[in-house]
Amino acid sequence: MLLSASLLFAQTRTEKDLLGEKQIPANAYYGVQTARALENFQVSGVATNFYPDYVKAYAIVKMAAARANTDVGRMSKDKLALIEKACKAVMDGKYHDQFLVDLYNGGAGTSANMNANEVLANVALEMGGHKKGDYKVVEPHDDLNMGQSTNDVFPTTIHVALLLHNDKLIAEAKALSAAFHKKGDAFSKILKMGRTEGQDAVPMTIGQEFHAFGGQLDAAIEVLAKSEVYLCEINMGATAIGTGITASPGYAEKCAVRLAEITGKPIVLAKDLIAATSSMQAFIMYSAAIKNLAVTLSKISSDLIFLATGPRAGIFEINLPALQPGSSIMPGKVNPVMPELMNQVCYKAIGNDAAVTIASQDGLLQLNAYEPVVAVAIMESQGLFFKTMPLFRKQCIEGITVNEKVVQNHINRSIGIVTALNPVLGYDKTTELAKEALQSGKGILELIREKKLLTEAQIKDLLDPVKLTSPTGPTNIKDTGDF
């Protein structure tokens, strides 16, 4: 019995908080408040360290805070040196296995903040030659949380995490856009029928269609980049509700400067810290940018699925790469799995935006207690797109080919080509041609040839992709006077 007690003592250390003492694993860098959170919040099974940029953001924020406190004369340079070493180690990817609090936790993120405070304090202690838990040297509250509150640390950390990951997200989105534009160049001379409301409209090139996909994505990327301005405004120094209680004069301003230095982002202090602490505007705006990306990618994905329908009984203008058998019962079936995957990710991101909206509007008075679910929702959307876009690009977009015979047949049989003839044949004549084509089942070009309304040279000129799809259209065809 004595041996067991001795062994237990050797494997744990005793820490205490408001609620009393608790045994902590001796090799753990976290402390008592993290241990309580591990007991209380077994919810999703997804911990803080699931998102490395989120862990890195805590280290960045705590480093900036320590430097700011040193700048205003509140923290000693010796203590700063220990904290900086710990923060740098975490920023370099070490000790992430100690950030264990479930992403869903009560207390507006207090447990996540204390997890960071405890880990960084104990890493600093060990690096300084001290034992874990020797908080007389470096203390989680007094030093790592000096002049701070979860109410300014948590939102600022999420801002930084989203900024860090937004760079990566935009890089993948740009690569995907480039893939669409590359296909646009490759397909620039292939004429097809454009469609509105699912019906034949007027001619365009497949190159224009794919450049348009890239252009839509370019616009969504621009919105993502512009939305960073909201994330760059922080409330560090606001502490509990925005009045700055327990923070030293000048600390808030210094903290913003230090964060800008570390991140390389134009981070600034909010003009009204009470407003910034109670408002979720930055998250709402950035989430809206993510939703805009989702809507854009979903529309493109659905368009690709439609264009690839077939192979015998659909549009079948393009081929998507065949990645796997598409049915457990229908032989030969191959499904558009990558656009379907992208659509599912888009639906989830749109749903996450709805969660952000509801959580943001329900915060009471000077604090929104639902920030954790907001953080989860946005980081999940970021992460899903970051992982899915390269798959979509490599396993779908880059391998798309065109069924040129099918496309040409659509052009030949389409009634929509008649619109391009309006300036040449006149509206009444082209209306008659359209009506006859519908009734007879013949194509417009077939009727034109039968009726000898245009010569073969004129038809060839009419179907020149450059002339036919330019803003001025084929109006350079001269009236022969034969009709």
Side-chain angles (χ1 to χ4, degrees), residues 109-332:
T110 297
S111 295
N113 180 32
M114 285 309 303
N115 189 177
N117 288 334
E118 291 172 345
V119 170
L120 290 168
N122 281 308
V123 171
L125 286 171
E126 192 171 76
M127 286 184 164
H130 305 282
K131 293 182 178 180
K132 299 184 190 73
D134 187 6
Y135 296 139
K136 298 186 295 297
V137 181
V138 178
E139 213 279 333
H141 292 89
D142 295 336
D143 297 318
L144 269 301
N145 210 59
M146 181 184 286
Q148 301 160 53
S149 163
T150 296
N151 302 348
D152 57 2
V153 169
F154 189 82
T156 299
T157 299
I158 301 303
H159 282 211
V160 171
L162 296 179
L163 286 168
L164 293 176
H165 210 66
N166 197 47
D167 289 341
K168 300 174 183 177
L169 186 65
I170 286 176
E172 288 297 346
K174 285 183 176 179
L176 178 57
S177 170
F180 278 116
H181 286 302
K182 187 175 180 179
K183 287 296 178 181
D185 290 340
F187 302 150
S188 63
K189 296 182 180 180
I190 304 175
L191 200 64
K192 64 160 284 177
M193 285 306 301
R195 297 177 179 83
T196 57
E197 300 178 70
Q199 305 298 302
D200 297 355
V202 297
M204 66 186 303
T205 67
I206 294 183
Q208 287 176 316
E209 191 164 46
F210 274 77
H211 275 305
F213 291 151
Q216 292 172 57
L217 192 50
D218 291 336
I221 292 168
E222 185 177 356
V223 173
L224 277 175
K226 287 182 176 179
S227 68
E228 284 194 1
V229 68
Y230 300 99
L231 297 174
C232 285
E233 186 174 286
I234 61 162
N235 74 329
M236 277 297 285
T239 67
I241 65 170
T243 59
I245 191 170
T246 77
S248 300
Y251 160 79
E253 292 78 8
K254 289 288 185 181
C255 202
V257 170
R258 292 298 193 174
L259 276 171
E261 288 175 353
I262 297 169
T263 61
K265 297 289 186 178
I267 292 176
V268 296
L269 188 66
K271 294 178 181 178
D272 186 330
L273 293 181
I274 293 178
T277 304
S278 58
S279 171
M280 304 285 280
Q281 181 178 5
F283 296 125
I284 295 167
M285 297 301 289
Y286 183 70
S287 181
I290 293 283
K291 181 179 74 172
N292 182 56
L293 176 67
V295 171
T296 299
L297 285 172
S298 183
K299 184 205 179 301
I300 292 171
S301 296
S302 294
D303 284 348
L304 293 176
I305 291 170
F306 179 72
L307 290 171
T309 52
R312 300 291 176 85
I315 301 299
F316 200 48
E317 291 187 348
I318 62 172
N319 299 299
L320 303 181
L323 299 180
Q324 59 190 63
S327 175
S328 61
I329 186 174
M330 293 175 280

Side-chain angles (χ1 to χ4, degrees), residues 63-130:
M63 179 185 281
R67 288 179 177 177
N69 277 314
T70 304
D71 290 338
V72 299
R74 186 170 177 180
M75 178 175 285
S76 71
K77 291 183 178 179
D78 289 342
K79 193 164 288 188
L80 169 64
L82 290 174
I83 292 173
E84 281 188 321
K85 285 182 181 179
C87 291
K88 184 66 167 60
V90 172
M91 289 164 64
D92 289 341
K94 299 175 182 177
Y95 305 102
H96 282 215
D97 62 331
Q98 299 296 303
F99 289 78
L100 298 171
V101 172
D102 196 290
L103 289 174
Y104 290 87
N105 57 90
T110 297
S111 295
N113 180 32
M114 285 309 303
N115 189 177
N117 288 334
E118 291 172 345
V119 170
L120 290 168
N122 281 308
V123 171
L125 286 171
E126 192 171 76
M127 286 184 164
H130 305 282

